[in-house]
Amino acid sequence: MTTNTPPQTPYKQLRRPTIDRMVAGVASGLGRYLNVDPTLIRVAFAVTGLLTGGLALLAYPIMWFLMPEEPPGAAAWPHPAGTAP
């Protein structure tokens, strides 16, 4: 007796994409991970930066350093390889 188990989807990975980036890809990577428009992430960075007197903007270079870059040719989440987003 065989059971057909569906193939497991890979887990989400927080990575900086090599395309669709403005500065370092932090906002684009967060947008892909959270499934939101990267522009909203950029606006949130700007607003929190203004509200905290620039203190929150320290998160950007820290995330730039800690987030790994996406390998070239990797498919954007959640689209499987070979399909258009």
Side-chain angles (χ1 to χ4, degrees):
M1 177 175 206
T2 61
T3 58
N4 292 339
T5 56
Q8 287 202 345
T9 57
Y11 57 91
K12 286 186 182 182
Q13 295 181 351
L14 181 59
R15 294 178 182 255
R16 295 182 297 119
T18 55
I19 57 172
D20 187 35
R21 58 164 62 169
M22 290 190 93
V23 177
V26 172
S28 182
L30 279 172
R32 283 183 181 180
Y33 186 78
L34 298 173
N35 201 22
V36 238
D37 188 12
T39 306
L40 294 174
I41 303 292
R42 292 178 185 112
V43 169
F45 268 122
V47 169
T48 56
L50 288 173
L51 292 177
T52 61
L55 188 61
L57 295 179
L58 288 174
Y60 193 88
I62 291 170
M63 292 176 76
W64 185 355
F65 179 73
L66 293 177
M67 282 175 64
E69 193 167 75
E70 195 173 68
W77 178 265
H79 310 289
T83 61

